[in-house]
Amino acid sequence: MSRVFYLTRWMAIVPLTIFIVLMVFFSFRGQVDTQILLGVGVLALVLGSLLARDKGAYWDGVVSGLGDRTAVLVVAIMSLVGVFAQLMEKGGLAGGVIWLADTIGLSGGFFMLFTYVACTVVGVATGSTVGTLSVMLPVLFPAGVLMGLPSALVVGAIVSGAATGDHYSPVSDTAIISSSTQRFRRRAGLADVSGVVKARLIYVLPAFLIAAVAHFLVGLGATGDDAAAAAVIAKFADPSGLIMVLPVLLVIGVALSGRSVFESLSYGIVSAILLGVVTGKLPLADLFPAKLADGTKTLGALADGVLEVVPIMLMVMIVMAAYGLVREFGLLELLTAKLAGGARKTARGAEAVILALCSFLAFLVVGNNSKVTIIGGPISDAVGGRRLLHPYRRANLVDAVANSVSYVVPWHIWPIGVVSMLATLTTTFPFLDGKLPTPAGIAFASFYPMAIWVIMLIAVVTGYGRRFEGPEGEPVAEEPGEVAATTA
């Protein structure tokens, strides 16, 4: 008999279970908007309270979860991320990248390679698959079709680049959430985003090279109207936007040097504003609230950037509140022990459990990638923490799955959503009518998501890149052993 809940303390897991079930339900109905899940999360917490004998203790647990360091850290970082991404969009970085393609005059396999790399750059800059697709699809897809390239392969290169950028970006929501849900066991604190991104390079680089070669090879031999394609690209090209790549390189460089993501993003935001104002790409009127000549009021890029990520912030807090109940009443350790079973007795087994559970979750959850990291992150922390797998390794397992499975399952948001986005282009580009790819075609032509999942599977089986937590929390190659369940 539980003091807080009727029947048993296992009632504490009901809110999280309700949230996951309803999330999967709405996902399969095609209702994947984050705002919907905010309402679902609140409802789950309210329904869970009805099972509590001591309502005060129940809501104390909820509030404790809301104040969890993970939730607070994600909110703080995401506010900076939203501003930086908005500055990159307003600054015209995509137009600069497109101008580069127009200047070089690429076609066939080289156009496919450029498309993949360019979308990767924009994805790293914005940390957003949606942002990359919304900017690059209307330009690169029509141009590729005019060059005679198969439509599915062109879109596959764009989606693949967006996935690569989203995966490696230090400002990606999945990087932030997967890192912030991994706790150190031998010292205080959570995995830092900069360290996780730096450790990720050994997985991302081979997957990037495999995808780059694959996209290049499938584009060889294509012939079409190169002049018409160049005209489409030139319409959106803007050489002045290329200067905005400098803040991106600064953010990545500072992050890889071992500085905190707060520091790297601060430098990126300040440098982007200075460059934008000096070059005229970001007038002060675009940064702050203003009233336009027609009477329309704008909030400005800074406020828009924060508001863009508010739904993700709130969803993280609600889910962490539900997880807080599970942890508060000692169920997270018991649950992960049951899920892991005998496999948790080895580091390889623990990693296999993390990879399998997160892959299954990603297969079910037909929504954005952050949902996989929000649910899978704490599971990875509990299962992998038992074997003292380093937080960087655990975070990278979760994030790799989040940025792989959802892109290659035909009924998921990305293949289906991209087809919907492409359908709107037929009015502007009539020659696209009848040439739109199917979701399955897009899924199987997105090479990076497939490559990164296979590489992580190989890493789990062979131990490639596996590191454990040393006495001071540093990454070490030698396995220290299992820690007690009560500290996991």
Side-chain angles (χ1 to χ4, degrees), residues 112-450:
M112 289 285 288
L113 177 60
F114 179 86
T115 295
Y116 172 61
V117 174
C119 291
T120 296
V121 171
V122 175
V124 170
T126 62
S128 167
T129 297
V130 173
T132 304
L133 294 177
S134 62
V135 171
M136 304 302 271
L137 271 175
V139 183
L140 297 178
F141 176 62
V145 171
L146 285 172
M147 289 180 184
L149 291 161
S151 61
L153 296 181
V154 177
V155 180
I158 297 171
V159 172
S160 191
T164 307
D166 198 343
H167 185 206
Y168 191 63
S169 174
V171 301
S172 167
D173 55 354
T174 61
I176 294 166
I177 296 169
S178 62
S179 302
S180 303
T181 50
Q182 306 308 310
R183 296 175 294 133
F184 282 91
R185 296 306 193 272
R186 291 185 159 183
R187 69 171 177 83
L190 305 170
D192 56 288
V193 178
S194 298
V196 171
V197 171
K198 187 175 182 179
R200 182 172 301 168
L201 188 60
I202 63 172
Y203 314 115
V204 171
L205 186 58
F208 172 80
L209 294 175
I210 291 171
V213 171
H215 287 300
F216 172 75
L217 292 177
V218 297
L220 293 177
T223 58
D225 191 344
D226 290 351
V232 171
I233 292 178
K235 180 180 178 182
F236 295 90
D238 179 11
S240 63
L242 198 59
I243 195 172
M244 299 306 291
V245 78
L246 295 179
V248 177
L249 296 176
L250 179 61
V251 169
I252 296 173
V254 173
L256 293 181
S257 71
R259 309 286 185 88
S260 75
V261 69
F262 290 106
E263 185 174 354
S264 62
L265 282 171
S266 297
Y267 293 149
I269 290 171
V270 172
S271 62
I273 292 175
L274 291 177
L275 279 174
V277 171
V278 170
T279 61
K281 297 300 296 179
L282 287 169
L284 289 176
D286 289 350
L287 295 174
F288 301 102
K291 186 174 183 179
L292 304 181
D294 61 0
T296 304
K297 295 181 180 180
T298 62
L299 295 175
L302 300 179
D304 286 342
V306 176
L307 292 175
E308 186 76 20
V309 296
V310 164
I312 295 177
M313 295 179 185
L314 293 176
M315 187 171 72
V316 169
M317 294 184 71
I318 288 175
V319 173
M320 292 311 299
Y323 264 117
L325 288 171
V326 176
R327 181 178 285 119
E328 180 78 15
F329 298 102
L331 299 183
L332 187 58
E333 292 78 14
L334 293 175
L335 180 63
T336 52
K338 290 180 180 294
L339 288 172
R344 75 181 190 280
K345 295 180 179 178
T346 66
R348 180 184 292 110
E351 290 182 349
V353 168
I354 294 170
L355 187 68
L357 285 175
C358 290
S359 296
F360 181 66
L361 181 64
F363 183 81
L364 287 178
V365 179
V366 192
N368 61 39
N369 307 343
S370 60
K371 297 170 188 173
V372 177
T373 54
I374 291 172
I375 302 296
I379 295 175
S380 173
D381 176 67
V383 174
R386 286 176 169 272
R387 301 305 316 176
L388 284 177
L389 287 167
H390 199 275
Y392 295 171
R393 173 77 166 188
R394 289 183 255 132
N396 281 325
L397 282 169
V398 175
D399 205 6
V401 172
N403 285 283
S404 58
V405 175
S406 61
Y407 293 93
V408 297
V409 177
W411 61 80
H412 264 241
I413 182 63
W414 299 123
I416 292 177
V418 167
V419 170
S420 300
M421 295 172 70
L422 293 175
T424 64
L425 299 179
T426 56
T427 302
T428 306
F429 305 102
F431 60 85
L432 294 177
D433 193 26
K435 295 184 179 180
L436 301 184
T438 64
I442 295 172
F444 297 133
S446 302
F447 300 132
Y448 179 83
M450 290 186 279

Side-chain angles (χ1 to χ4, degrees), residues 15 48 88 93 105 207 239 263 285 321 330 384 466:
M88 291 300 99
L93 173 62
E263 185 174 354
R466 182 179 295 142

